Amino acid sequence: GQQLNQSPQSMFIQEGEDVSMNCTSSSIFNTWLWYKQDPGEGPVLLIALYKAGELTSNGRLTAQFGITRKDSFLNISASIPSDVGIYFCAGQGTTDSWGKLQFGAGTQVVVTP
Amino acid sequence: DGGITQSPKYLFRKEGQNVTLSCEQNLNHDAMYWYRQDPGQGLRLIYYSQIVNDFQKGDIAEGYSVSREKKESFPLTVTSAQKNPTAFYLCASSFLEKLFFGSGTQLSVL
């Protein structure tokens, strides 16, 4: 299946800085999801977005569903060491069945003190 | 605790050997999935099952097989036909559009 274009591929940031990453697709999505994966573990759902323009926060995380329904971004404010990990975007297209998601390649976040 | 349990955490396969990865869930979800993850890449769908006794091929099903005899269980067999099996394998179940993942199995070739 088609993979989403996720950028940047990796980020090296200092503790306290803000982080921003995004995903784009050539097709329209009904749902955008953002996951975080710690080393050697499975991804954990951070935020789910369901309609164009929606802006949702979860603590220091904020994500938005793009107006065109073809993109989404995730922001992390005031990063801390435990924010280290790989962040994946995932989307459900208009013809995909429930739970059958397309995934971006991930953004590796490294936080230095 | 409700969740998805994958075992073993680490598995080694010899040349020509079939190996089976276990996945059990107690979330009462109908749908279950197997994904393969290679370093620096996103997740690729191997097989999925939306109901007991039924399953469909994903994007990279060649060299893999599955069964779904019980709602709670969705084991994945990596056959000898899979020539590049070294990867991190993730099992998931879903409620509507949300996927919930197990902690993964790292498969390596001896």
Side-chain angles (χ1 to χ4, degrees), chain A residues 24-58:
Chain A
T24 59
S25 169
S26 57
S27 56
I28 290 173
F29 280 172
N30 289 332
T31 304
W32 282 97
L33 303 166
W34 284 93
Y35 286 86
K36 182 193 177 197
Q37 185 179 29
D38 291 328
E41 297 295 327
V44 174
L45 181 63
L46 298 174
I47 291 179
L49 302 159
Y50 299 103
K51 55 182 185 178
E54 180 181 354
L55 186 70
T56 297
S57 293
N58 178 9

Side-chain angles (χ1 to χ4, degrees), chain A residues 1-3 9 31 33 35 37 40-45 48 50 86 88 92 97-101 103-106, chain B residues 9 31 33 35 37 40-45 48 50 57-59 88 90 94 96-104:
Chain A
Q2 171 196 355
Q3 281 210 337
Q9 191 174 12
T31 304
L33 303 166
Y35 286 86
Q37 185 179 29
E41 297 295 327
V44 174
L45 181 63
Y50 299 103
I86 302 176
F88 290 100
Q92 182 186 21
S97 57
W98 288 120
K100 194 164 178 287
L101 303 175
F103 282 86
Chain B
K9 184 65 178 176
Y33 308 78
Y35 285 87
Q37 184 177 25
Q41 297 190 31
L43 307 181
R44 293 185 290 168
L45 183 63
Y48 65 104
Q50 294 181 303
K57 293 181 179 180
D59 303 315
F88 192 55
L90 287 160
S94 70
L96 299 179
E97 74 290 349
K98 294 178 183 175
L99 280 177
F100 298 89
F101 289 90
S103 58

Side-chain angles (χ1 to χ4, degrees), chain A residues 5-11 20-24 34 89 106-107:
Chain A
N5 295 314
Q6 185 172 349
S7 63
Q9 191 174 12
S10 60
M11 307 185 71
S20 183
M21 62 194 79
N22 68 79
C23 271
T24 59
W34 284 93
C89 62
T107 295

